[in-house]
Amino acid sequence: MTEKVSGPASYFPSIEKKYGHPIEHWMTQLANVPEAKHMEQVAYLKDEFGIGHGHANALVAVYRQKNGL
């Protein structure tokens, strides 16, 4: 039985489908701006890659949680 994904990671399948890159690609992009605050990282993804606000916010939330930020 597969555990249902909830929270920000629940957006990951649609992010991969819409933007054509695996989630690890976006985590690597966020690693380029580790000192930025949450909303600065969201703005970075939106401005540099055209990611929508909700998707960018989900990516940043998971990135920051995994990296203890």
Side-chain angles (χ1 to χ4, degrees), residues 3-23:
E3 188 175 329
K4 185 173 180 352
V5 177
S6 62
S10 67
Y11 289 96
F12 285 2
S14 61
I15 292 170
E16 289 179 334
K17 183 178 179 181
K18 183 167 184 169
Y19 302 104
H21 294 288
I23 296 305

Side-chain angles (χ1 to χ4, degrees), residues 6-43:
S6 62
S10 67
Y11 289 96
F12 285 2
S14 61
I15 292 170
E16 289 179 334
K17 183 178 179 181
K18 183 167 184 169
Y19 302 104
H21 294 288
I23 296 305
E24 193 52 43
H25 168 80
W26 302 114
M27 296 296 135
T28 300
Q29 298 307 314
L30 286 168
N32 292 327
V33 291
E35 71 289 340
K37 295 178 182 178
H38 181 103
M39 290 309 295
E40 292 170 340
Q41 289 176 321
V42 169

